[in-house]
Amino acid sequence: MNHPHRRRFHSRCLGLLGLVLLVFGIGVTHASGSDPWAPFDAPWFDRASSSEGVPQSIITSLAQDRSGLVWVGTMVGLARFDGYRAQVFDTRNGGAQGLPDAYVRSLFALPDGSLLIGTNAGGLVRFDPATNLFQTYPIGANGTSDRKIYDLADDHAGGVWIATDSGLDHLDPRTDRITRLHTGAGIAPRNFSVMQDRAGNLWLGNNSGLFVRHAGSATFVRPDSPAGIASTVLANQIWAMHEDRAGRLWVGSGQAGAVYRDTDGQWHPIPGFSGHQNGAQQSTVRDFLETAPGTMWIATDGSGVLAYKVGDSQLRRINHDAAIASSLPGDSVRSLLQDRSGNIWAATDLGLARTDPNARTAFSLLPSPLEQNALSDTSVRGIYVDTRSRIWLGLGSGRIDMIDLVAGRMKHLQLGGDQIHRDVQTFVEAADGSILVGTQGLARINPDTLAIQPSVLPALENKPVLSLQRDGSYILIGTYDGLYRYDTHGGALDHVGHDPNDPGSLGSNTVREIARVGDSWWYGTTRGISIASSVLDNRGFENLTHHDDDPSSLPQNYISSITLVPQGQLWVSTFGGLGVIDHYQPGGPYRFHTIGIAQGLASDKVSSLLDDDRGGLWVSTSSGVSMIDSDTHAVHNLGPRDGLHIPSYLYVGAARAPGGELLFGGLGGLTVIRPHWRPPASAAAALAITHAVVNGDEMPFGQLPQDGQKIQLDPRNRNLRVDFALLDYQTPLETSYSYRMEGLDDGWNQIPRGSLPSAIYTNLPHGEYHLQLRAETHGMQPHTAETRIGVVVKPRWYETLLSRLIAILLLIALVVLLVHLRTLYLRRQALQLQRQIDEHTRDLLSANQRLDELAGTDGLTGVYNRRRFLELAGGEHELAKGRSLCIALFDLDRFKRINDTHGHLAGDAVIRCAIEVIRQHCRQGDLVGRYGGEEFVLCLPDTGLPHALDIAERIRSELAHAEVMHEGRSIGVTVSIGVAALQPNESIEQWLSRADKALYEAKHAGRNRCVTAH
């Protein structure tokens, strides 16, 4: 980077030289007094397509209505566009009558907010915003002279002129009366255009040429014109006319181009577009638009837009470029419109486009192989301005573009050999005026012939050159392999590198930036900054690096740019933000403070920086370009509203142009910044409701509420949808929208970027609210627009005050009645409850008794289980004093075999059979229980041992002869029995033990027998 004081002096000298050349007329420019960047500054068009609802690509006509909405005519219908969405009308308008013909040829916005539509085959139509309905005017008697309407024009008295295929008509919109104007026998019936000028003259563009009816006259005549080019144009079909602000009349023809008539009545050709050029026909002129005083855009059917400034020697073509997405969509342009915010709209055969001519703080030079004054490669990596004010751009793949602002053209150079596929990173001008190019090694360009010497220093052939600077005869070369010094006088080349063992050596071998700061040289590396007091220093560098524990150190060690501004501040760009020394002193101390994302930068990866000599520092980052006020350090991020369209900058390439413009190389092209450009003052665009649906019904456009007005919802559905937009049509995707309903929403509802700005509410509670809408723009001139409307939600019948009072009285009466009925009910319930309690008590006692029985009963046999039997037998044991008491234990013989052979169900049947036999031989008072699986027990009160043995024997005998049938099979069963009589002072356990021993004796004795216990 050049020394800032030297650079500033150089810039001022060039400016003074340019002024002298201009005053004495010795300079040669493409157009006197014009912007030298004009040949390179192509309009940036944003397109509206089917994604926004535009019905098709062939756009035929444009108009902006009273509310600011843009109407778009196409061959398949009409669209109303708010910048985000298009509402389309065609021959079907819902359930109502639509357009009589979908091909729209012309549009005219009336002062009352309605719209006139001239169709191709359906005549004249009027759209009424109060009802959103179309009214079709008659054709023939009391109507238009033909159903094909070519043009509509203001008569400056509230009426409209109508040019048709069969005549000229006049409409009074207040009465809807149409009258036919007789143009004379010598004039063809077909009229393509009509215009009434401010002096009252009526001009008619006819199939036979141009005609005029002067104010106060009733006859159309041909205007006076000299023989030659003007006469050729005026005798051709006349398709377009326009009166500019100065009173000039512009006339465009079908095949002979265009001419204009000055206020003195003299006709003038337009260079290159008047008459037949070399016998060839010109493209049809469809429309005119004065974009600036004396500057006319001419819409043509096939040649795009021709921009011409009165007095220039040539015009400028604005064409479609297939390689540039932001170019004009198509070269057939049927209509032009400049809206109230200054945007220029173009209706082309390949879509609708708009450009903002006031977004001139920045513009982009883009790559295209189809245009001489376009870049030859995508990304600009290095930029340099030589002493001849030529701008050198280093690109990829060995490409170099040179911009000559004086000549208004760009030249494209190509490195050869090993450098053909290498990036061009940097330039410097040698003492002899040649341009040294840093790429893979060093190349040289002859400043006069532009011949290229591909390899200047063989020692550097395989080394990418990152940075170049010159000090006298020395060329300083930054590479990935350290710093090289090349003496152009002696040819010597020496090297300075990083030594890890020497803290005073170069900080890193990657030298990305070389800058002279005062009398010292600063080398920006990937490990900080190395400062040398002389260009010849090899070591002893003062190294500045980032330290995590020192906030006054460099923000980060990856250095990209270094500059000292006239205010005495030193700025260093890093990949961790900007480091700033507010009051730089040679030798230090070097105490930085950081400007990064937290201070407002869009990114802290800062690639390059330039000052504008007026207190502004401009930086390129990975996310755009920002301007920083050197006094306040306030950050302003540029955006599309400023003309910035390249989103990312990763290369160090930056320079100041001879006229003070700032140049930044980006991913996608070159950005040119006009640091002191300010857009002209204009009225702020309205944040308007462009569409609303209330309770499922669309509101007519004429009834949409404006700021301060109210919208009313009836009690039915209480649903509301409001679509809104900032009607400046500039960078819709960059505008931030939010809304809130006061009294309902706690805060603002942010609409996500890319989503359509809409506020939707369903089932709103009744009451009065205020809906606030907000739009915030970004860039160098940000502003906020707000709209506030009232929302009244009517209550349903039961939500009114009277209905609520009646409801309260009814509620009180109902409460009294309910209390009385409740008392009666409770009394009755108490009596019934007492009865139920008594019944339940009885049932509970019975149930408890039953539960007690169930708890002591064996589930299979229905006899006592072991626990219950022992309880009852224990009672008999306690009462047996002096009484006889016997007990018998039964065990079915070989019961396991029965289970294994016949199954457990058969075993259960055998057990039930045995119990049944035992119970048949029991008396009243005997106790029977199931003692185990196949074991049973019988307690015989008041029974002696002989009698007990007899009972047991009868049971054994009957079981031995019994047959148990199961699933058709007979199962025999026998039982072994042990009988014991209670002995004095014997416990129940001892008693049962003796019976058990007798049982086992019976088992061992061969089973199927009874044994008495001893």
Side-chain angles (χ1 to χ4, degrees):
M1 182 173 293
N2 294 327
H3 187 288
H5 299 291
R6 179 188 303 168
R7 185 178 59 205
R8 188 166 66 258
F9 175 76
H10 174 64
S11 177
R12 290 172 178 171
C13 289
L14 288 174
L16 181 60
L17 176 62
L19 179 62
V20 171
L21 293 175
L22 180 62
V23 170
F24 289 98
I26 59 176
V28 179
T29 62
H30 67 284
S32 175
S34 61
D35 179 6
W37 286 99
F40 311 95
D41 184 4
W44 185 287
F45 287 97
D46 293 307
R47 305 183 186 186
S49 62
S50 57
S51 61
E52 288 86 16
V54 178
Q56 75 151 196
S57 62
I58 302 179
I59 311 299
T60 57
S61 52
L62 298 166
Q64 186 176 26
D65 66 17
R66 183 180 64 183
S67 61
L69 277 292
V70 172
W71 291 80
V72 183
T74 75
M75 286 188 174
V76 296
L78 178 66
R80 176 179 177 268
F81 187 53
D82 67 358
Y84 295 87
R85 61 221 128 198
Q87 186 169 356
V88 178
F89 302 90
D90 56 18
T91 54
R92 301 160 306 215
N93 183 23
Q97 180 180 354
L99 292 169
D101 176 25
Y103 183 174
V104 177
R105 275 192 170 271
S106 55
L107 295 171
F108 186 86
L110 291 168
D112 64 356
S114 60
L115 183 76
L116 290 178
I117 304 114
T119 69
N120 185 64
L124 183 66
V125 185
R126 184 172 182 172
F127 177 80
D128 184 1
T131 60
N132 281 13
L133 298 177
F134 292 94
Q135 169 198 347
T136 302
Y137 288 95
I139 301 167
N142 300 318
T144 59
S145 53
D146 196 274
R147 62 181 61 251
K148 179 177 287 189
I149 311 297
Y150 280 105
D151 195 18
L152 301 168
D154 193 356
D155 72 354
H156 306 297
V160 179
W161 294 106
I162 308 167
T164 80
D165 203 39
S166 299
L168 179 64
D169 304 319
H170 182 269
L171 168 69
D172 184 348
R174 293 160 293 196
T175 62
D176 279 340
R177 183 179 175 217
I178 296 176
T179 56
R180 184 167 184 178
L181 190 68
H182 297 285
T183 56
I187 300 176
R190 174 175 290 181
N191 299 302
F192 300 115
S193 56
V194 62
M195 189 205 73
Q196 184 168 325
D197 63 24
R198 290 189 288 272
N201 303 307
L202 182 61
W203 299 84
L204 185 62
N206 190 265
N207 195 51
S208 300
L210 180 67
F211 297 87
V212 60
R213 188 189 72 176
H214 293 288
S217 172
T219 305
F220 281 92
V221 297
R222 289 189 182 273
D224 295 333
S225 62
I229 293 178
S231 179
T232 301
V233 174
L234 299 180
N236 202 264
Q237 295 177 338
I238 303 302
W239 280 83
M241 292 181 289
H242 179 78
E243 183 182 24
D244 68 16
R245 293 169 228 181
R248 304 181 192 91
L249 176 66
W250 298 74
V251 179
S253 70
Q255 298 90 25
V259 292
Y260 69 93
R261 178 179 180 267
D262 63 24
T263 53
D264 294 332
Q266 301 297 315
W267 293 95
H268 301 272
I270 296 173
F273 194 65
S274 292
H276 299 293
Q277 301 292 317
N278 300 320
Q281 294 183 347
Q282 304 280 10
S283 297
T284 300
V285 177
R286 291 288 192 170
D287 202 1
F288 291 98
L289 178 67
E290 188 177 14
T291 60
T295 300
M296 190 65 62
W297 277 25
I298 307 170
T300 72
D301 199 349
S303 297
V305 173
L306 307 178
Y308 177 68
K309 184 175 183 180
V310 173
D312 280 358
S313 59
Q314 59 185 6
L315 50 75
R316 183 183 179 196
R317 297 183 181 271
I318 301 173
N319 298 100
H320 170 65
D321 188 333
I324 300 178
S326 62
S327 68
L328 194 67
D331 286 333
S332 290
V333 183
R334 296 171 180 250
S335 181
L336 296 170
L337 168 72
Q338 189 157 28
D339 65 27
R340 292 172 203 141
S341 296
N343 303 292
I344 299 174
W345 299 70
T348 81
D349 60 339
L350 291 176
L352 177 64
R354 65 181 178 273
T355 183
D356 181 6
N358 294 323
R360 291 176 53 81
T361 300
F363 71 90
S364 303
L365 270 73
L366 303 177
S368 172
L370 307 177
E371 173 63 41
Q372 175 66 31
N373 280 349
L375 300 180
S376 58
D377 193 69
T378 303
S379 300
V380 178
R381 301 165 185 269
I383 308 174
Y384 185 77
V385 180
D386 65 16
T387 55
R388 302 188 189 187
S389 299
R390 298 179 298 185
I391 300 167
W392 300 83
L393 306 178
L395 310 169
S397 301
R399 301 179 191 274
I400 299 170
D401 289 344
M402 189 271 286
I403 299 176
D404 187 341
L405 293 177
V406 175
R409 63 176 178 268
M410 184 185 298
K411 289 187 176 295
H412 306 292
L413 308 179
Q414 174 68 62
L415 297 176
D418 294 339
Q419 298 169 339
I420 191 169
H421 296 299
R422 300 300 177 183
D423 298 334
V424 178
Q425 305 272 17
T426 184
F427 302 88
V428 74
E429 188 171 8
D432 62 359
S434 61
I435 305 299
L436 298 179
V437 182
T439 177
Q440 185 81 0
L442 204 63
R444 177 185 282 121
I445 301 176
N446 185 298
D448 300 317
T449 65
L450 303 184
I452 298 173
Q453 180 185 349
S455 180
V456 177
L457 298 173
L460 297 180
E461 283 184 356
N462 295 319
K463 299 184 185 301
V465 174
L466 305 176
S467 54
L468 291 171
Q469 276 293 358
R470 181 170 72 89
D471 185 26
S473 63
Y474 286 100
I475 303 296
L476 300 175
I477 307 169
T479 72
Y480 289 113
D481 191 34
L483 176 70
Y484 289 86
R485 281 191 299 262
Y486 172 47
D487 186 352
T488 56
H489 284 174
L493 179 71
D494 62 340
H495 174 255
V496 180
H498 170 68
D499 183 352
N501 298 318
D502 182 2
S505 69
L506 194 65
S508 166
N509 280 330
T510 301
V511 181
R512 302 185 72 246
E513 169 73 347
I514 305 171
R516 186 159 189 171
V517 179
D519 294 326
S520 59
W521 285 92
W522 290 45
Y523 302 105
T525 75
T526 55
R527 293 182 183 174
I529 297 173
S530 296
I531 304 174
S533 59
S534 169
V535 73
L536 299 177
D537 286 350
N538 291 335
R539 57 187 63 254
F541 295 99
E542 184 174 5
N543 289 313
L544 309 179
T545 58
H546 169 73
H547 300 283
D548 291 337
D549 57 351
D550 184 1
S552 67
S553 65
L554 281 172
Q556 202 253 8
N557 285 331
Y558 199 94
I559 309 300
S560 51
S561 294
I562 303 167
T563 191
L564 178 65
V565 302
Q567 292 83 358
Q569 295 171 325
L570 182 73
W571 297 77
V572 177
S573 64
T574 77
F575 272 22
L578 280 168
V580 187
I581 299 176
D582 283 322
H583 303 287
Y584 168 75
Q585 296 292 331
Y590 305 115
R591 302 186 64 81
F592 296 90
H593 64 88
T594 301
I595 297 177
I597 293 177
Q599 289 71 38
L601 281 181
S603 170
D604 56 9
K605 291 181 173 57
V606 185
S607 301
S608 56
L609 49 88
L610 296 169
D611 68 287
D612 60 14
D613 284 339
R614 296 189 184 181
L617 189 86
W618 301 73
V619 299
S620 64
T621 73
S622 61
S623 297
V625 175
S626 303
M627 191 279 283
I628 303 168
D629 188 297
S630 60
D631 294 328
T632 65
H633 293 172
V635 177
H636 305 274
N637 296 311
L638 276 73
R641 286 177 177 269
D642 307 303
L644 185 73
H645 295 286
I646 295 176
S648 185
Y649 302 80
L650 296 179
Y651 306 121
V652 182
R656 183 158 47 190
E661 299 86 4
L662 308 180
L663 313 177
F664 290 100
L667 293 176
L670 175 70
T671 294
V672 180
I673 303 288
R674 301 179 177 96
H676 310 302
W677 163 261
R678 294 294 180 270
S682 61
L687 176 60
I689 295 175
T690 61
H691 183 249
V693 180
V694 179
N695 294 332
D697 298 324
E698 291 189 0
M699 289 188 69
F701 302 145
Q703 298 178 23
L704 293 173
Q706 300 179 12
D707 187 27
Q709 295 181 343
K710 289 185 178 181
I711 190 171
Q712 185 168 281
L713 278 67
D714 62 34
R716 287 181 298 150
N717 296 323
R718 298 178 174 180
N719 298 329
L720 173 65
R721 171 177 175 160
V722 169
D723 298 334
F724 55 101
L726 185 64
L727 296 181
D728 64 359
Y729 299 96
Q730 295 169 3
T731 63
L733 294 179
E734 299 295 326
T735 302
S736 301
Y737 288 94
S738 56
Y739 65 92
R740 70 173 177 178
M741 185 79 78
E742 290 183 357
L744 187 66
D745 295 328
D746 293 332
W748 288 91
N749 301 299
Q750 301 293 329
I751 296 176
R753 181 177 176 179
S755 299
L756 299 179
S758 298
I760 302 175
Y761 292 92
T762 59
N763 198 24
L764 280 168
H766 74 90
E768 293 192 11
Y769 306 92
H770 285 96
L771 178 61
Q772 286 184 281
L773 311 175
R774 175 182 290 175
E776 297 173 278
T777 67
H778 307 283
M780 294 291 290
Q781 307 291 328
H783 71 277
T784 299
E786 289 191 2
T787 290
R788 190 170 185 262
I789 65 168
V791 178
V792 178
V793 184
K794 287 186 174 182
R796 298 184 175 100
W797 66 267
Y798 53 81
E799 295 172 330
T800 62
L801 180 60
L802 179 61
S803 64
R804 289 184 175 183
L805 289 174
I806 295 173
I808 291 172
L809 294 174
L810 290 175
L811 180 61
I812 293 173
L814 180 61
V815 168
V816 172
L817 178 61
L818 288 175
V819 168
H820 178 67
L821 294 176
R822 176 76 173 168
T823 303
L824 295 176
Y825 171 78
L826 289 176
R827 289 175 181 173
R828 183 176 298 174
Q829 287 294 100
L831 293 174
Q832 185 177 355
L833 181 61
Q834 187 61 48
R835 287 195 298 270
Q836 291 176 348
I837 290 173
D838 294 341
E839 292 176 0
H840 289 167
T841 301
R842 290 192 298 271
D843 293 342
L844 183 59
L845 291 173
S846 176
N848 286 338
Q849 184 177 356
R850 177 62 180 161
L851 286 174
D852 185 60
E853 292 176 356
L854 291 175
T857 302
D858 176 59
L860 178 63
T861 62
V863 299
Y864 296 124
N865 58 23
R866 179 172 179 162
R867 180 188 61 79
R868 184 61 174 163
F869 176 84
L870 291 176
E871 287 178 0
L872 296 175
E876 294 294 338
H877 177 272
E878 293 294 329
L879 298 173
K881 298 176 181 178
R883 297 170 54 206
S884 298
L885 184 63
C886 291
I887 193 168
L889 280 176
F890 301 80
D891 190 321
L892 296 178
D893 296 330
R894 296 183 176 85
F895 185 75
K896 183 176 184 304
R897 182 183 297 172
I898 293 173
N899 276 342
D900 292 345
T901 303
H902 301 285
H904 289 282
L905 294 178
D908 291 344
V910 169
I911 289 172
R912 285 192 295 269
C913 176
I915 288 294
E916 185 60 30
V917 171
I918 293 171
R919 293 178 68 176
Q920 288 175 3
H921 291 82
C922 290
R923 302 162 302 172
Q924 184 73 26
D926 293 345
L927 303 175
V928 181
R930 187 176 179 184
Y931 198 65
E934 66 272 18
E935 292 183 323
F936 314 104
V937 62
L938 175 63
C939 179
L940 301 168
D942 300 317
T943 305
L945 183 60
H947 189 195
L949 184 61
D950 182 57
I951 293 173
E953 183 62 29
R954 289 200 303 271
I955 293 172
R956 181 200 64 77
S957 176
E958 187 171 342
L959 274 175
H961 293 89
E963 289 186 357
V964 179
M965 299 302 296
H966 179 74
E967 294 182 354
R969 291 180 292 179
S970 176
I971 303 172
V973 60
T974 62
V975 66
S976 298
I977 307 171
V979 183
L982 181 65
Q983 296 180 357
N985 300 322
E986 185 178 38
S987 67
I988 191 170
E989 288 82 6
Q990 293 171 334
W991 184 30
L992 286 169
S993 178
R994 286 192 302 108
D996 190 54
K997 288 180 180 180
L999 173 64
Y1000 273 93
E1001 287 180 13
K1003 289 284 187 183
H1004 290 145
R1007 298 183 178 86
N1008 192 22
R1009 64 191 65 218
C1010 296
V1011 176
T1012 59
H1014 301 294

mmCIF file of all heavy atoms in Angstrom, residues 27-41:
data_model
loop_
_atom_site.group_PDB
_atom_site.id
_atom_site.type_symbol
_atom_site.label_atom_id
_atom_site.label_comp_id
_atom_site.label_asym_id
_atom_site.label_seq_id
_atom_site.Cartn_x
_atom_site.Cartn_y
_atom_site.Cartn_z
ATOM 1 N N GLY A 27 -8.390 17.761 -22.851
ATOM 2 C CA GLY A 27 -8.598 16.355 -22.507
ATOM 3 C C GLY A 27 -9.522 15.706 -23.509
ATOM 4 O O GLY A 27 -10.323 16.347 -24.168
ATOM 5 N N VAL A 28 -9.406 14.422 -23.634
ATOM 6 C CA VAL A 28 -10.273 13.652 -24.517
ATOM 7 C C VAL A 28 -11.040 12.669 -23.650
ATOM 8 O O VAL A 28 -10.449 11.788 -23.039
ATOM 9 C CB VAL A 28 -9.455 12.890 -25.581
ATOM 10 C CG1 VAL A 28 -10.392 12.076 -26.469
ATOM 11 C CG2 VAL A 28 -8.638 13.869 -26.408
ATOM 12 N N THR A 29 -12.316 12.830 -23.577
ATOM 13 C CA THR A 29 -13.157 11.911 -22.811
ATOM 14 C C THR A 29 -14.275 11.420 -23.693
ATOM 15 O O THR A 29 -14.558 11.978 -24.747
ATOM 16 C CB THR A 29 -13.738 12.607 -21.564
ATOM 17 O OG1 THR A 29 -14.558 13.690 -21.993
ATOM 18 C CG2 THR A 29 -12.644 13.134 -20.660
ATOM 19 N N HIS A 30 -14.930 10.387 -23.217
ATOM 20 C CA HIS A 30 -16.002 9.793 -24.021
ATOM 21 C C HIS A 30 -17.221 10.689 -24.075
ATOM 22 O O HIS A 30 -18.019 10.595 -24.982
ATOM 23 C CB HIS A 30 -16.384 8.422 -23.452
ATOM 24 C CG HIS A 30 -17.020 8.503 -22.115
ATOM 25 N ND1 HIS A 30 -16.308 8.742 -20.967
ATOM 26 C CD2 HIS A 30 -18.324 8.404 -21.745
ATOM 27 C CE1 HIS A 30 -17.138 8.780 -19.934
ATOM 28 N NE2 HIS A 30 -18.365 8.573 -20.378
ATOM 29 N N ALA A 31 -17.400 11.553 -23.100
ATOM 30 C CA ALA A 31 -18.508 12.499 -23.111
ATOM 31 C C ALA A 31 -18.148 13.631 -22.175
ATOM 32 O O ALA A 31 -17.812 13.417 -21.030
ATOM 33 C CB ALA A 31 -19.804 11.823 -22.677
ATOM 34 N N SER A 32 -18.207 14.823 -22.666
ATOM 35 C CA SER A 32 -17.749 15.972 -21.903
ATOM 36 C C SER A 32 -18.511 16.111 -20.609
ATOM 37 O O SER A 32 -19.727 16.128 -20.572
ATOM 38 C CB SER A 32 -17.920 17.239 -22.749
ATOM 39 O OG SER A 32 -17.580 18.370 -21.989
ATOM 40 N N GLY A 33 -17.735 16.217 -19.508
ATOM 41 C CA GLY A 33 -18.323 16.476 -18.209
ATOM 42 C C GLY A 33 -19.039 15.296 -17.595
ATOM 43 O O GLY A 33 -19.669 15.437 -16.564
ATOM 44 N N SER A 34 -18.960 14.125 -18.210
ATOM 45 C CA SER A 34 -19.704 12.990 -17.676
ATOM 46 C C SER A 34 -18.846 12.209 -16.695
ATOM 47 O O SER A 34 -17.647 12.421 -16.564
ATOM 48 C CB SER A 34 -20.171 12.077 -18.810
ATOM 49 O OG SER A 34 -19.045 11.573 -19.511
ATOM 50 N N ASP A 35 -19.492 11.291 -15.975
ATOM 51 C CA ASP A 35 -18.816 10.443 -15.007
ATOM 52 C C ASP A 35 -17.854 9.518 -15.743
ATOM 53 O O ASP A 35 -18.276 8.765 -16.633
ATOM 54 C CB ASP A 35 -19.883 9.645 -14.253
ATOM 55 C CG ASP A 35 -19.286 8.697 -13.233
ATOM 56 O OD1 ASP A 35 -18.064 8.726 -13.021
ATOM 57 O OD2 ASP A 35 -20.062 7.923 -12.637
ATOM 58 N N PRO A 36 -16.552 9.511 -15.402
ATOM 59 C CA PRO A 36 -15.623 8.627 -16.114
ATOM 60 C C PRO A 36 -15.938 7.156 -15.916
ATOM 61 O O PRO A 36 -15.493 6.318 -16.698
ATOM 62 C CB PRO A 36 -14.260 8.993 -15.516
ATOM 63 C CG PRO A 36 -14.567 9.613 -14.196
ATOM 64 C CD PRO A 36 -15.866 10.308 -14.370
ATOM 65 N N TRP A 37 -16.697 6.831 -14.862
ATOM 66 C CA TRP A 37 -17.038 5.437 -14.634
ATOM 67 C C TRP A 37 -18.298 5.016 -15.390
ATOM 68 O O TRP A 37 -18.688 3.844 -15.339
ATOM 69 C CB TRP A 37 -17.250 5.188 -13.142
ATOM 70 C CG TRP A 37 -15.969 5.171 -12.357
ATOM 71 C CD1 TRP A 37 -15.439 6.177 -11.626
ATOM 72 C CD2 TRP A 37 -15.061 4.071 -12.241
ATOM 73 N NE1 TRP A 37 -14.247 5.794 -11.057
ATOM 74 C CE2 TRP A 37 -13.994 4.500 -11.416
ATOM 75 C CE3 TRP A 37 -15.039 2.772 -12.762
ATOM 76 C CZ2 TRP A 37 -12.925 3.673 -11.100
ATOM 77 C CZ3 TRP A 37 -13.974 1.950 -12.443
ATOM 78 C CH2 TRP A 37 -12.924 2.396 -11.619
ATOM 79 N N ALA A 38 -18.949 5.959 -16.064
ATOM 80 C CA ALA A 38 -20.206 5.640 -16.737
ATOM 81 C C ALA A 38 -20.093 4.470 -17.712
ATOM 82 O O ALA A 38 -21.007 3.631 -17.776
ATOM 83 C CB ALA A 38 -20.751 6.876 -17.446
ATOM 84 N N PRO A 39 -19.019 4.336 -18.496
ATOM 85 C CA PRO A 39 -18.954 3.187 -19.408
ATOM 86 C C PRO A 39 -18.891 1.840 -18.698
ATOM 87 O O PRO A 39 -19.085 0.799 -19.328
ATOM 88 C CB PRO A 39 -17.665 3.446 -20.206
ATOM 89 C CG PRO A 39 -17.403 4.905 -20.081
ATOM 90 C CD PRO A 39 -17.882 5.265 -18.716
ATOM 91 N N PHE A 40 -18.594 1.864 -17.410
ATOM 92 C CA PHE A 40 -18.446 0.608 -16.669
ATOM 93 C C PHE A 40 -19.578 0.371 -15.669
ATOM 94 O O PHE A 40 -19.747 -0.723 -15.167
ATOM 95 C CB PHE A 40 -17.111 0.616 -15.909
ATOM 96 C CG PHE A 40 -15.937 1.012 -16.756
ATOM 97 C CD1 PHE A 40 -15.475 2.327 -16.787
ATOM 98 C CD2 PHE A 40 -15.302 0.080 -17.560
ATOM 99 C CE1 PHE A 40 -14.407 2.684 -17.572
ATOM 100 C CE2 PHE A 40 -14.223 0.435 -18.349
ATOM 101 C CZ PHE A 40 -13.770 1.744 -18.367
ATOM 102 N N ASP A 41 -20.318 1.430 -15.372
ATOM 103 C CA ASP A 41 -21.354 1.376 -14.344
ATOM 104 C C ASP A 41 -22.675 0.961 -14.970
ATOM 105 O O ASP A 41 -23.519 1.789 -15.305
ATOM 106 C CB ASP A 41 -21.478 2.740 -13.658
ATOM 107 C CG ASP A 41 -22.477 2.722 -12.511
ATOM 108 O OD1 ASP A 41 -23.006 1.643 -12.207
ATOM 109 O OD2 ASP A 41 -22.714 3.788 -11.921
#
